[in-house]
Amino acid sequence: MKRIFKFSHFFKPKYCLFGVCDNIGLNFNKIKVWALSFKKVCNDKDVCLICMDATDEEIKMCESIGIKAIKSDLDKESYGQVNHKRLKPARDFIESSSYEYFLITDVFDVLFQQDPFAKLDFDSYDIFAGKEGVLVNDEPWNFDNIQKLFPDKIDSCVGKPVVCSGIIAGKKEALIPVYEKMFDMCHNESTDDHAIKDQAAFIIMIANNLIPNLKLFSLNDAWAVHCAVAGPTNLFEGWGFKSKILASGLALPQLKSGQIKSGEEPFDIVHQFNRIPEWESHLIQDYIDE
């Protein structure tokens, strides 16, 4: 008898957008923006979501829009805020999955305009992240955060770029030790003087060259924009972000023709767009029900 093989038996997706979140039902519209905008520009890549403390109904909601939903009941008391506690399940998922390349992002405030994997040169680099456009000592929130959580590490971060931990991409085997180290720093090496620890740990790791083969994109690369710093929020001029970005020779992100752009090129990823209501209303209208 002639055996018939289906192509799907051999094909396993290599690329994965991945996130961790809780309160699925309450934030489902935000999850839809994240997942559906990615599917629009990457319909051949998977979307996976660890749903913390989710009900069966919430899992079905995620599956209804094409998300591979993984239920998790991680003990909240053991791991603190979601920014911290997501690191361990993220690390475990990366190690156990069959994907080769990952994009790990925040979920509730991330939207995609172009394929975020297109600019990732996996032949030359293992890990990718995006600079926010200013230095640690020019950004009061991150400086204060690092100083409170890791007071012995703040000096090593002065003069180094603010890099957002909410968007990290890379190869499977390279990401595992990054997430292990971030979790260890947050769980075992930090004080408890600030609730959000993951970004402080990530910046310290970068500042001290603890992440080999790392590529940091600038705003001019149009890979990711982190709008809390680089967008026209109420702090944009008052805290000096606008002048610092311009002085560094970087283009200011702008809303043009319904997209957030660096010059004339749309950013692949727009993060924290909800900090600017005008931008948010333009960006999300195609992905949520009225």
Side-chain angles (χ1 to χ4, degrees), residues 172-277:
K172 175 177 181 173
E173 297 305 323
L175 285 166
I176 293 169
V178 169
Y179 275 80
E180 284 179 345
K181 178 62 175 175
M182 287 173 66
F183 179 76
D184 185 59
M185 288 181 67
C186 293
H187 199 57
N188 298 314
E189 299 179 20
S190 74
T191 71
D192 289 321
D193 292 339
H194 200 288
I196 301 175
K197 303 182 178 186
D198 60 319
Q199 181 145 313
F202 191 51
I203 290 172
I204 291 166
M205 290 171 66
I206 293 169
N208 289 276
N209 300 312
L210 299 180
I211 304 178
N213 300 319
L214 169 69
K215 167 69 175 179
L216 294 180
F217 289 103
S218 80
L219 290 172
N220 286 356
D221 294 317
W223 185 61
V225 56
H226 307 286
C227 298
V229 166
T233 65
N234 61 327
L235 303 174
F236 190 50
E237 296 194 31
W239 280 17
F241 298 153
K242 180 178 180 180
S243 61
K244 296 292 184 183
I245 289 170
L246 288 172
S248 298
L250 301 170
L252 292 178
Q254 294 183 322
L255 174 65
K256 295 181 180 180
S257 303
Q259 292 184 307
I260 310 304
K261 298 183 178 182
S262 173
E264 296 302 319
E265 183 180 1
F267 283 93
D268 300 341
I269 309 167
V270 184
H271 181 212
Q272 300 164 336
F273 56 83
N274 55 349
R275 310 290 181 96
I276 303 116

Side-chain angles (χ1 to χ4, degrees), residues 91-130:
R91 179 251 177 246
D92 293 345
F93 173 80
I94 293 166
E95 183 177 52
S96 64
S97 76
S98 60
Y99 300 104
E100 296 180 33
Y101 307 108
F102 296 82
L103 174 61
I104 305 132
T105 76
D106 291 349
V107 176
F108 295 161
D109 59 356
V110 170
L111 176 143
F112 300 91
Q113 301 185 134
Q114 298 190 130
D115 181 353
F117 286 98
K119 293 187 177 82
L120 306 186
D121 180 2
F122 289 110
D123 291 330
S124 301
Y125 301 98
D126 294 337
I127 302 291
F128 304 84

